[in-house]
Amino acid sequence: MKKKVIVGLSGGVDSSVAAYLLIQQGYQVEGLFMRNWDSSANNDILGNQEIDNDVCPQEQDYLDALEVAKKLGIKLHRIDFVQEYWEYVFEYFIKEYKKGRTPNPDILCNKYIKFDKFLNHAINELKADYIAMGHYAGVRFNEKTKQYEMIRAVDTNKDQTYFLCQLTQNQLSKTLFPLQSLEKPEIRKIAAEQGLITADKKDSTGICFIGEREFTKFLQNYISNQPGDIVDIKTNEVLGKHIGAMYYTIGQRKGLNLGGMKEPYYVAAKDIDKKIIYVCPASDESYLLSNNAIVTEINWSLDLKQYIDNVEEFECTAKFRYRQPDVKVRLNKIKDNEYKVSYDAIVKAVTPGQEAVFYLNDICLGGGIIDIVE
């Protein structure tokens, strides 16, 4: 019998082509559309340019997914994870912002929704052998180590292993990534050749499953304004006012409203308790640079001992944000799933709350939360 695959059909071109490719590979394919956000139930009003649209973007995505499913001749299921997304992703997201940290909702969504709730529903309820997503990444089984390895996509500009760093061996063993060897223009070409409605559809941006928002206004739906001073970190001079330190992230330049200055300023540090944003001028970025970070809650996607001679202290590469070039790092174990990460290269704006993701050549080893920057 053909192996059954449930594809996360999102209404975008990537998942559409993923479904097509799996059909061509001989799998029994069905689609599953997820709805994870409800603007009215979640008080998503401020900063939501789409609130008065006749058809909300998520519903349009469903209609597009339905058209793709019809064109490919596959069944499309639909499920709501609105409550789960709120509990497992959004509450943590807001809690971290209140602390002045900058979490990554895409990583949380992959960990708790797509590769947990979605996967379990597909396997247990829809009786699938595998799930598949339109991510730019790959999975291969290493016969020598007997482990599943998550590998980078050929399209390095689109590679999404950074966002998948929390996946486990069990999740990888049940997941297919059909787009690993393709670049974006090839995917659009395939979609056009197959007459898929999503061929020229713009890529989704913004917050995972929420969409594009005026970010500061969006956060004000959930975190009240807490005005304070914008202070030059070097001179201690008050340069302006802000409406809430938690709305800004390290390295941010836009939105500070520091008019009349000779040069741009960047957010260098924040004191949430004192409601102060410290800034530095573009001509002196030393306050944005660091040499070490403490990374906690690390998920290793595979057994490190099969790949690293000494897991207490080793070298690899890391990304401290998406699309950042790899940086050579040294890891020194502090305790289980917590390491001191040192780097010689100049790295700007390493930010608490963000994810540090580790690589050994093309293999994504896993990632954890940047807790302290030194």
Side-chain angles (χ1 to χ4, degrees), residues 162-208:
Y162 179 89
F163 299 113
L164 299 166
C165 66
Q166 290 291 318
L167 269 57
T168 64
Q169 280 290 295
N170 180 58
Q171 291 165 330
L172 291 173
S173 72
K174 293 179 170 62
T175 301
L176 304 175
F177 291 120
L179 307 186
Q180 190 272 334
S181 62
L182 297 172
E183 297 193 351
K184 188 73 179 199
E186 296 176 89
I187 287 165
R188 290 204 180 276
K189 183 182 177 186
I190 292 169
E193 289 171 348
Q194 299 308 313
L196 301 180
I197 193 174
T198 54
D200 297 317
K201 187 173 180 179
K202 182 183 174 185
D203 288 346
S204 60
T205 56
I207 309 167
C208 178

Side-chain angles (χ1 to χ4, degrees), residues 20-46:
Y20 167 75
L21 292 173
L22 289 166
I23 293 169
Q24 296 304 110
Q25 291 169 21
Y27 290 100
Q28 179 193 344
V29 177
E30 294 179 8
L32 177 58
F33 179 87
M34 287 179 284
R35 179 173 171 268
N36 294 335
W37 187 254
D38 186 319
S39 290
S40 57
N42 294 344
N43 195 42
D44 175 15
I45 300 166
L46 295 175

